[in-house]
Short mmCIF file of all heavy atoms in Angstrom, two decimals:
data_model
loop_
_atom_site.label_atom_id
_atom_site.label_comp_id
_atom_site.label_asym_id
_atom_site.label_seq_id
_atom_site.Cartn_x
_atom_site.Cartn_y
_atom_site.Cartn_z
N ARG A 502 4.30 -33.11 50.99
CA ARG A 502 5.12 -32.33 51.93
C ARG A 502 4.39 -31.07 52.40
O ARG A 502 4.59 -30.61 53.52
CB ARG A 502 6.45 -31.94 51.28
CG ARG A 502 7.36 -33.12 50.99
CD ARG A 502 8.67 -32.65 50.34
NE ARG A 502 9.55 -33.76 50.06
CZ ARG A 502 9.51 -34.49 48.95
NH1 ARG A 502 8.59 -34.22 48.02
NH2 ARG A 502 10.34 -35.49 48.75
N GLU A 503 3.57 -30.52 51.53
CA GLU A 503 2.83 -29.30 51.87
C GLU A 503 1.49 -29.61 52.51
O GLU A 503 0.99 -28.83 53.34
CB GLU A 503 2.61 -28.46 50.60
CG GLU A 503 3.91 -27.99 49.96
CD GLU A 503 3.70 -27.56 48.53
OE1 GLU A 503 3.08 -28.31 47.76
OE2 GLU A 503 4.18 -26.46 48.18
N SER A 504 0.89 -30.71 52.11
CA SER A 504 -0.43 -31.08 52.64
C SER A 504 -0.51 -32.59 52.75
O SER A 504 -0.58 -33.29 51.74
CB SER A 504 -1.53 -30.55 51.72
OG SER A 504 -2.78 -31.07 52.10
N VAL A 505 -0.53 -33.08 53.97
CA VAL A 505 -0.60 -34.53 54.18
C VAL A 505 -1.93 -35.08 53.67
O VAL A 505 -2.06 -36.27 53.39
CB VAL A 505 -0.40 -34.86 55.67
CG1 VAL A 505 -1.59 -34.41 56.49
CG2 VAL A 505 -0.11 -36.34 55.88
N GLU A 506 -2.90 -34.19 53.50
CA GLU A 506 -4.22 -34.61 53.00
C GLU A 506 -4.15 -35.18 51.59
O GLU A 506 -5.08 -35.89 51.16
CB GLU A 506 -5.21 -33.45 53.04
CG GLU A 506 -5.64 -33.02 54.42
CD GLU A 506 -4.63 -32.12 55.13
OE1 GLU A 506 -3.61 -31.75 54.49
OE2 GLU A 506 -4.86 -31.77 56.30
N THR A 507 -3.08 -34.85 50.84
CA THR A 507 -2.98 -35.37 49.47
C THR A 507 -2.91 -36.90 49.46
O THR A 507 -3.28 -37.54 48.47
CB THR A 507 -1.74 -34.81 48.77
OG1 THR A 507 -0.56 -35.16 49.53
CG2 THR A 507 -1.81 -33.30 48.64
N ILE A 508 -2.44 -37.49 50.56
CA ILE A 508 -2.29 -38.95 50.62
C ILE A 508 -3.64 -39.65 50.56
O ILE A 508 -3.77 -40.74 49.99
CB ILE A 508 -1.53 -39.36 51.91
CG1 ILE A 508 -0.10 -38.80 51.86
CG2 ILE A 508 -1.52 -40.86 52.10
CD1 ILE A 508 0.69 -39.03 53.13
N CYS A 509 -4.66 -39.02 51.12
CA CYS A 509 -5.96 -39.68 51.21
C CYS A 509 -6.99 -39.16 50.21
O CYS A 509 -8.13 -39.64 50.19
CB CYS A 509 -6.53 -39.58 52.62
SG CYS A 509 -6.77 -37.88 53.17
N ILE A 510 -6.60 -38.21 49.37
CA ILE A 510 -7.62 -37.61 48.51
C ILE A 510 -8.13 -38.58 47.45
O ILE A 510 -9.28 -38.52 47.05
CB ILE A 510 -7.09 -36.31 47.85
CG1 ILE A 510 -8.26 -35.58 47.18
CG2 ILE A 510 -5.97 -36.61 46.86
CD1 ILE A 510 -7.92 -34.21 46.69
N THR A 511 -7.28 -39.54 47.02
CA THR A 511 -7.76 -40.52 46.04
C THR A 511 -8.86 -41.38 46.64
O THR A 511 -9.90 -41.62 46.01
CB THR A 511 -6.60 -41.41 45.56
OG1 THR A 511 -5.57 -40.58 45.00
CG2 THR A 511 -7.08 -42.39 44.49
N SER A 512 -8.66 -41.84 47.86
CA SER A 512 -9.69 -42.66 48.51
C SER A 512 -10.94 -41.83 48.82
O SER A 512 -12.06 -42.34 48.74
CB SER A 512 -9.15 -43.29 49.80
OG SER A 512 -8.73 -42.29 50.72
N LEU A 513 -10.76 -40.53 49.12
CA LEU A 513 -11.92 -39.67 49.36
C LEU A 513 -12.73 -39.49 48.08
O LEU A 513 -13.97 -39.48 48.11
CB LEU A 513 -11.47 -38.31 49.89
CG LEU A 513 -10.93 -38.26 51.32
CD1 LEU A 513 -10.46 -36.85 51.67
CD2 LEU A 513 -12.00 -38.72 52.31
N ALA A 514 -12.02 -39.34 46.95
CA ALA A 514 -12.71 -39.21 45.67
C ALA A 514 -13.47 -40.50 45.35
O ALA A 514 -14.59 -40.46 44.82
CB ALA A 514 -11.71 -38.89 44.57
N LEU A 515 -12.88 -41.64 45.70
CA LEU A 515 -13.57 -42.93 45.50
C LEU A 515 -14.82 -43.01 46.36
O LEU A 515 -15.88 -43.44 45.89
CB LEU A 515 -12.62 -44.07 45.87
CG LEU A 515 -11.78 -44.66 44.74
CD1 LEU A 515 -10.73 -45.61 45.30
CD2 LEU A 515 -12.66 -45.35 43.72
N ASP A 516 -14.71 -42.59 47.61
CA ASP A 516 -15.88 -42.59 48.49
C ASP A 516 -16.99 -41.72 47.91
O ASP A 516 -18.17 -42.09 47.95
CB ASP A 516 -15.50 -42.07 49.89
CG ASP A 516 -14.62 -43.06 50.65
OD1 ASP A 516 -14.58 -44.24 50.25
OD2 ASP A 516 -13.95 -42.63 51.61
N PHE A 517 -16.59 -40.58 47.39
CA PHE A 517 -17.59 -39.66 46.82
C PHE A 517 -18.29 -40.30 45.63
O PHE A 517 -19.51 -40.23 45.50
CB PHE A 517 -16.91 -38.35 46.40
CG PHE A 517 -17.86 -37.33 45.86
CD1 PHE A 517 -18.57 -36.50 46.71
CD2 PHE A 517 -18.07 -37.21 44.50
CE1 PHE A 517 -19.46 -35.56 46.22
CE2 PHE A 517 -18.96 -36.28 43.98
CZ PHE A 517 -19.66 -35.46 44.85
N LEU A 518 -17.51 -40.95 44.76
CA LEU A 518 -18.09 -41.57 43.57
C LEU A 518 -18.97 -42.77 43.91
O LEU A 518 -19.83 -43.16 43.12
CB LEU A 518 -16.97 -42.00 42.61
CG LEU A 518 -16.30 -40.85 41.86
CD1 LEU A 518 -15.03 -41.32 41.18
CD2 LEU A 518 -17.26 -40.23 40.85
N ASN A 519 -18.76 -43.35 45.07
CA ASN A 519 -19.57 -44.49 45.49
C ASN A 519 -20.83 -44.07 46.24
O ASN A 519 -21.60 -44.92 46.69
CB ASN A 519 -18.74 -45.44 46.37
CG ASN A 519 -17.72 -46.22 45.56
OD1 ASN A 519 -17.99 -46.60 44.42
ND2 ASN A 519 -16.54 -46.44 46.12
N CYS A 520 -21.02 -42.74 46.36
CA CYS A 520 -22.23 -42.26 47.02
C CYS A 520 -23.46 -42.64 46.19
O CYS A 520 -23.44 -42.54 44.95
CB CYS A 520 -22.19 -40.74 47.20
SG CYS A 520 -20.95 -40.19 48.38
N PRO A 521 -24.53 -43.04 46.83
CA PRO A 521 -25.73 -43.44 46.07
C PRO A 521 -26.44 -42.23 45.47
O PRO A 521 -26.39 -41.12 46.00
CB PRO A 521 -26.60 -44.10 47.15
CG PRO A 521 -26.17 -43.48 48.44
CD PRO A 521 -24.70 -43.22 48.29
N ASN A 522 -27.09 -42.48 44.32
CA ASN A 522 -27.94 -41.46 43.66
C ASN A 522 -27.17 -40.20 43.30
O ASN A 522 -27.71 -39.09 43.36
CB ASN A 522 -29.14 -41.10 44.55
CG ASN A 522 -29.97 -42.32 44.90
OD1 ASN A 522 -30.23 -43.17 44.06
ND2 ASN A 522 -30.37 -42.41 46.17
N LEU A 523 -25.92 -40.34 42.93
CA LEU A 523 -25.10 -39.18 42.57
C LEU A 523 -25.56 -38.65 41.21
O LEU A 523 -25.60 -39.40 40.23
CB LEU A 523 -23.63 -39.60 42.51
CG LEU A 523 -22.58 -38.50 42.65
CD1 LEU A 523 -22.69 -37.82 44.01
CD2 LEU A 523 -21.18 -39.08 42.46
N PRO A 524 -25.92 -37.38 41.11
CA PRO A 524 -26.33 -36.83 39.82
C PRO A 524 -25.21 -36.93 38.78
O PRO A 524 -24.03 -36.98 39.11
CB PRO A 524 -26.62 -35.35 40.15
CG PRO A 524 -26.90 -35.33 41.61
CD PRO A 524 -26.03 -36.39 42.20
#
Side-chain angles (χ1 to χ4, degrees):
R502 293 180 180 86
E503 298 162 311
S504 171
V505 70
E506 289 80 4
T507 58
I508 296 175
C509 60
I510 191 171
T511 303
S512 60
L513 289 177
L515 268 171
D516 289 343
F517 182 84
L518 286 168
N519 287 324
C520 292
N522 303 318
L523 202 62

